[in-house]
C-alpha cells in the first residue's frame, strides 16, 4: 500500500513539492511520474490511499486515477484520520526539533528530514502497519467518532 507521498515499502520520500499544490500539479508532479508507476509495480491488488485534500479530489485527478486503473481507498468526508503517516510526521518533527538547532533555511530542513527519515527504525513502520486493524476496529466501535489514534 502507498500512503500519500511515501512508499513505506521503500521508505524513501517520493517527492518534494514547493508552492501551492493544485489538482493538475498533483497529477503531473506526483501521480503520473511517481505514485502510479509505484502502484503498477506493486501489482493489481495495490491500493492508493490519500485524503480529502482538495488537490487529491479534483476532477482531473479522479479522471486520471480511474483511467490509470488505480484502486483507490475512499475516505468519507469528515472521517477520522487513521492514516499512519501522521504518526511518522510527528516522529520526524520530534527528531528534527530535538537533534538539530538552529535550522538555517528550508533546504537545510529538507536535508534533516531526509536524514531522520532514513534513520527511523523499521520497527516503527512495522508497528504502524500492524496497527491498522486495531485502528479500524476502534473507529468502527466509536461509530466514526474519536479514537485514541
Amino acid at each position: 500500500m502507498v500512503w500519500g507521498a511515501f512508499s513505506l515499502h521503500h521508505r524513501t520520500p517520493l517527492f518534494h513539492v514547493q508552492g501551492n499544490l493544485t489538482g493538475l500539479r498533483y497529477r503531473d508532479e506526483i501521480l503520473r511520474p511517481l505514485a502510479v508507476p509505484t502502484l503498477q509495480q506493486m501489482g493489481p491488488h495495490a491500493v492508493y490511499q490519500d485524503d480529502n485534500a482538495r488537490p487529491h479530489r479534483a476532477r482531473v485527478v479522479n479522471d486520471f486515477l480511474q483511467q490509470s486503473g488505480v484502486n483507490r481507498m475512499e475516505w468519507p468526508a469528515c472521517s477520522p484520520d487513521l492514516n499512519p503517516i501522521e504518526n511518522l510526521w510527528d516522529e520526524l518533527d520530534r527528531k528534527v526539533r530535538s537533534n538539530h538547532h538552529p535550522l538555517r533555511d528550508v533546504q537545510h530542513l529538507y536535508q534533516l528530514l531526509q536524514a531522520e527519515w532514513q534513520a527511523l527504525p523499521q520497527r516503527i513502520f512495522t508497528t504502524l502497519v500492524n496497527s491498522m486493524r486495531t485502528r479500524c476496529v476502534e473507529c468502527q466501535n466509536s461509530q466514526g467518532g474519536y479514537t485514541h489514534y
Side-chain angles (χ1 to χ4, degrees):
M1 182 178 288
V2 175
W3 276 278
F6 289 87
S7 167
L8 293 184
H9 177 71
H10 293 100
R11 294 187 57 211
T12 56
L14 292 177
F15 69 92
H16 175 63
V17 175
Q18 295 179 350
N20 292 329
L21 183 63
T22 65
L24 285 173
R25 286 192 65 204
Y26 184 58
R27 179 197 66 190
D28 295 342
E29 296 176 27
I30 298 166
L31 295 175
R32 183 174 283 138
L34 303 168
V36 170
T38 299
L39 288 162
Q40 290 169 341
Q41 289 176 355
M42 294 172 75
H45 300 293
V47 176
Y48 187 68
Q49 177 186 347
D50 54 17
D51 57 25
N52 287 321
R54 283 189 181 163
H56 301 169
R57 298 300 170 187
R59 183 180 311 248
V60 67
V61 168
N62 291 334
D63 291 347
F64 175 74
L65 290 173
Q66 187 174 22
Q67 291 166 2
S68 299
V70 170
N71 297 316
R72 186 183 207 181
M73 183 180 288
E74 294 297 328
W75 289 101
C78 301
S79 63
D81 192 350
L82 301 178
N83 190 338
I85 195 73
E86 300 300 334
N87 300 86
L88 292 172
W89 291 134
D90 289 343
E91 183 67 22
L92 281 173
D93 181 59
R94 282 190 297 274
K95 295 282 189 189
V96 169
R97 287 177 190 273
S98 67
N99 296 335
H100 306 283
H101 299 282
L103 295 173
R104 294 186 301 267
D105 54 28
V106 173
Q107 183 61 31
H108 183 224
L109 173 61
Y110 183 67
Q111 291 169 346
L112 294 175
L113 287 169
Q114 287 184 318
E116 292 294 350
W117 176 265
Q118 291 299 323
L120 288 173
Q122 180 62 41
R123 68 176 165 68
I124 291 175
F125 295 88
T126 302
T127 299
L128 288 172
V129 169
N130 291 339
S131 74
M132 286 308 296
R133 179 177 304 276
T134 306
R135 290 168 184 262
C136 292
V137 168
E138 189 172 324
C139 182
Q140 185 177 23
N141 290 343
S142 70
Q143 298 179 341
Y146 175 80
T147 69
H148 83 278
Y149 292 100

